[in-house]
Amino acid sequence: MANGAGRVDLDGRPIKPMTICMIGAGGFIGSHLCEKLLNETPHKVLALDVYNDKIKHLLEPDTVEWKDRIQFHRINIKHDSRLEGLVKMADLTINLAAICTPADYNTRPLDTIYSNFIDALPVVKYCSENNKRLIHFSTCEVYGKTIGSFLPKDHPLREDPSFYVLKEDVSPCIFGSIEKQRWSYACAKQLIERLVYAEGAENGLEFTIVRPFNWIGPRMDFIPGIDGPSEGVPRVLACFSNNLLRREPLKLVDGGESQRTFIYIKDAIEAVLLMIENPERANGHIFNVGNPNNEVTVRQLAEMMTEVYAKVSGEGAIESPTVDVSSKEFYGEGYDDSDKRIPDMTIINRQLGWNPKTSLWDLLESTLTYQHRTYAEAVKKATSKPVAS
């Protein structure tokens, strides 16, 4: 299949091989997207990133079947004159580069705003000036809080989907006050979306905007002290995985009451491939990519992960599997949160005929099996080292 013979788009037209400039190709999403493109399509990838650890297996000289179809360019897009040349060489640019860990939003708000808005500006500009198509990765955080969250706790309208389901073309973007620096990320992401949209309206830029709703799976983030800084705080899945691997209680911020929907990375990448290969259907659209069926509170997620990890590892759960911490203690001053994140799927269903398949239990089992295989030994070694007095 990798030679791409006989592949057609959703309208039955043959898919022409293309060159894709992928910025942030070495990250979690980028690594899965590179794998998919190399395994299942004839497209070429110009992979741009500062690190390539997560795509090393795709760059080995002995992976001959695609060695001329992926090139790694070690580039920091902040200040690299090669960027425009690489955008020009490609038919399509996909921008995945971002600081996207909530622990950074209120401790490193300047870096967060620069990385998500200022550093993305040249990418949009080069695509627009050179008539190149852009798929820009945004976030479900641009929705902020739901309308329902402002109603009294026991108000019946809180149960009405029109007060909490998030729609790309209708829902407002509602953020907290300026001193709640957690919204620095969402605000920067919203502004770059508005800029991309304006380039489309005024200068004819062909664009697609992707709003991921908690994509999870193997290679997500890092395990602190193993393949990332020991004081680092990754996102919830890797945070909980780290606790499970170390047999520590899972920390529930403010009681773990926030609700989230989780989608398996492989389902989400299917949607991205449909956007890449169906420009007529995807251009000019913003797409929610999530799984509304996989909704849980963070507390329920912790309970499920504890159960799944006990099954995967063969080790029983610890006596007190969770512990409550305040957001101030965990994230520092200025933290705030969105209450509920349920994506409306109407537009992506209509345009791309896409639906997610994997249940929460199955995706946790697959992800935690990977985490256990990859990290359990390293964590045991790290925790059994004698500490110098």
Side-chain angles (χ1 to χ4, degrees):
M1 182 138 182
N3 63 8
R7 295 180 74 251
V8 293
D9 68 13
L10 292 171
D11 297 303
R13 289 178 294 241
I15 295 166
K16 294 191 184 82
M18 61 183 104
T19 299
I20 298 167
C21 172
M22 195 187 301
I23 300 163
F28 162 55
I29 295 173
S31 69
H32 286 276
L33 185 51
C34 285
E35 275 181 353
K36 181 94 171 159
L37 290 166
L38 294 172
N39 280 318
E40 295 181 24
T41 80
H43 310 314
K44 282 188 175 159
V45 180
L46 306 174
L48 282 58
D49 212 318
V50 185
Y51 305 107
N52 64 5
D53 312 8
K54 295 185 185 195
I55 52 170
K56 267 213 166 73
H57 61 296
L58 303 175
L59 304 170
E60 301 294 341
D62 54 353
T63 44
V64 277
E65 68 266 37
W66 58 57
K67 73 172 189 306
D68 53 347
R69 285 184 34 233
I70 182 163
Q71 282 175 17
F72 179 69
H73 297 264
R74 197 175 296 279
I75 276 184
N76 183 336
I77 59 166
K78 262 187 187 57
H79 36 64
D80 201 302
S81 54
R82 293 172 294 171
L83 181 61
E84 186 172 15
L86 289 160
V87 169
K88 279 181 169 173
M89 279 168 68
D91 303 292
L92 159 70
T93 293
I94 300 177
N95 191 6
L96 291 152
I99 284 180
C100 54
T101 19
D104 291 323
Y105 304 161
N106 50 313
T107 53
R108 297 168 57 203
L110 286 174
D111 284 347
T112 300
I113 293 165
Y114 271 77
S115 125
N116 289 294
F117 180 66
I118 309 287
D119 298 348
L121 287 174
V123 179
V124 181
K125 180 170 167 266
Y126 297 150
C127 287
S128 189
E129 287 173 354
N130 294 290
N131 294 318
K132 300 292 183 179
R133 188 174 165 225
L134 171 66
I135 296 182
H136 184 81
F137 271 71
S138 182
T139 169
C140 60
E141 291 236 354
V142 297
Y143 292 110
K145 300 171 181 245
T146 65
I147 305 172
S149 70
F150 293 90
L151 294 168
K153 275 268 186 282
D154 49 0
H155 200 290
L157 283 175
R158 273 184 171 245
E159 301 304 309
D160 179 343
S162 61
F163 281 78
Y164 63 79
V165 173
L166 302 168
K167 300 187 176 205
E168 300 95 328
D169 53 346
V170 178
S171 299
C173 305
I174 308 173
F175 302 153
S177 63
I178 297 297
E179 65 206 34
K180 299 289 189 192
Q181 296 207 88
R182 189 245 207 272
W183 301 108
S184 57
Y185 172 69
C187 197
K189 282 289 203 184
Q190 186 200 148
L191 193 52
I192 199 76
E193 275 201 34
R194 291 196 183 276
L195 185 103
V196 168
Y197 196 91
E199 279 287 359
E202 283 191 41
N203 298 323
L205 171 68
E206 291 192 351
F207 72 86
T208 302
I209 290 168
V210 184
R211 290 181 179 163
F213 280 70
N214 293 81
W215 297 10
I216 59 179
R219 298 196 291 273
M220 183 179 184
D221 294 347
F222 58 91
I223 296 297
I226 306 298
D227 56 358
S230 20
E231 67 291 348
V233 181
R235 285 170 288 187
V236 67
L237 183 101
C239 252
F240 285 173
S241 299
N242 182 42
N243 298 142
L244 291 165
L245 286 157
R246 294 175 188 275
R247 299 189 63 71
E248 300 165 349
L250 278 57
K251 290 181 176 166
L252 297 179
V253 175
D254 294 341
E257 296 309 305
S258 295
Q259 289 167 291
R260 294 288 180 268
T261 51
F262 294 92
I263 176 172
Y264 191 39
I265 182 70
K266 292 195 180 350
D267 289 352
I269 293 298
E270 291 277 344
V272 180
L273 186 60
L274 287 167
M275 294 172 208
I276 291 170
E277 297 189 327
N278 294 275
E280 283 84 358
R281 288 170 175 257
N283 282 344
H285 285 285
I286 298 170
F287 291 115
N288 288 340
V289 181
N291 189 337
N293 304 317
N294 286 347
E295 193 196 19
V296 280
T297 65
V298 173
R299 180 179 287 279
Q300 288 167 325
L301 177 73
E303 288 161 359
M304 272 182 93
M305 284 181 70
T306 302
E307 197 180 331
V308 172
Y309 191 71
K311 179 187 170 191
V312 161
S313 65
E315 298 169 3
I318 61 171
E319 204 167 313
S320 313
T322 60
V323 58
D324 286 9
V325 296
S326 73
S327 56
K328 188 175 173 184
E329 192 186 331
F330 193 81
Y331 286 120
E333 209 59 73
Y335 187 74
D336 196 8
D337 207 352
S338 46
D339 50 315
K340 228 171 147 61
R341 291 205 194 128
I342 301 188
D344 181 83
M345 306 299 283
T346 312
I347 295 179
I348 199 163
N349 280 162
R350 185 187 70 216
Q351 293 303 114
L352 303 173
W354 175 84
N355 268 306
K357 305 181 191 77
T358 314
S359 72
L360 186 54
W361 180 272
D362 288 349
L363 70 86
L364 288 176
E365 195 166 347
S366 149
T367 306
L368 288 172
T369 300
Y370 170 85
Q371 303 282 46
H372 183 68
R373 270 201 213 120
T374 311
Y375 296 112
E377 284 311 308
V379 167
K380 277 200 180 81
K381 275 188 198 128
T383 47
S384 63
K385 275 184 192 156
V387 179
S389 55

